Amino acid sequence: MSDQDSPHHGGTVQATEGRLNWLRAAVLGANDGVVSTAGLVVGIAGATEERGTLLTAGMAGLLAGSLSMAAGEYVSVCAQRDAQRAALEQEEKELRAHPRAGFAALTAALERRGLSHGVAHAAAGELSRNDALRAHARVELGIDPDDLTNPWAAALASFLSFTAGALLPLLLIVLPPADWRLPVTVLSVLAALVATGWAGARLGGATIGPAVLRNVIGGALAMAVTYGVGTLLGSTV
């Protein structure tokens, strides 16, 4: 059996894909933090120049957004982990009830990976003798029983990535002098959106130009709308 077709190689590919998924999620979390917090503080800046008000609103938005992201990711990954466990339990029951059918299914799965029938049959036998459930989980289900998704790690990653993105507009809207706050924040946010759009496209294998353009246009529209609303409300209060 070649390294390319071996189950070990398949596990390595799955681990690599898992790391890429985490990186993409981190980039998207940071992007959400940048856009949502920028929209909030720019909208508030349209209504008032009070640094304390901007800081309070920005901190509230940062905490609400990061905690919401963490909670949502925790619930989502818990559901995914429950589905993985259910699939493993079902696979274990089927292997106990129909071992021959399970062996044939494993052989067929290895054949679909490019192995000849004889090699796939021998490999299935070797894998089944070592740990049949683990072999079926990795080859047929694409699940590593030793590395199930961790909802707490996912929640923490979402919290941190959103917070990291949100800190940029929050700090830039309160640190510069009043006359510089808005232009510095807007330009810096647009630069950050170029960076997250580029990173997301690279990690996802997409074309960079359109991905960056969509990201920048979306963020710019969000800031323009919230600033307009803030200015309108500020002038009527």
Side-chain angles (χ1 to χ4, degrees), residues 81-177:
R81 188 183 181 95
D82 290 344
Q84 289 175 329
R85 286 175 170 169
L88 290 173
E89 290 174 2
Q90 181 62 31
E91 188 69 24
E92 187 176 18
K93 290 178 183 178
E94 292 178 358
L95 287 174
R96 285 199 302 263
H98 308 287
R100 290 186 178 179
F103 182 84
L106 180 59
T107 301
L110 290 171
E111 286 186 71
R112 287 194 295 272
R113 293 194 172 198
L115 302 182
S116 66
H117 178 74
V119 174
H121 188 275
E126 184 69 23
L127 291 170
S128 297
R129 282 191 293 273
N130 290 333
D131 192 327
L133 177 59
R134 181 170 281 102
H136 281 262
R138 289 178 172 173
V139 176
E140 291 187 72
L141 304 178
I143 298 173
D144 186 349
D146 300 323
D147 189 27
L148 297 181
T149 52
N150 186 329
W152 288 107
L156 180 61
S158 293
F159 179 89
L160 293 176
S161 62
F162 186 96
T163 300
L167 281 174
L168 175 69
L170 174 59
L171 293 176
L172 291 176
I173 204 68
V174 297
L175 292 181

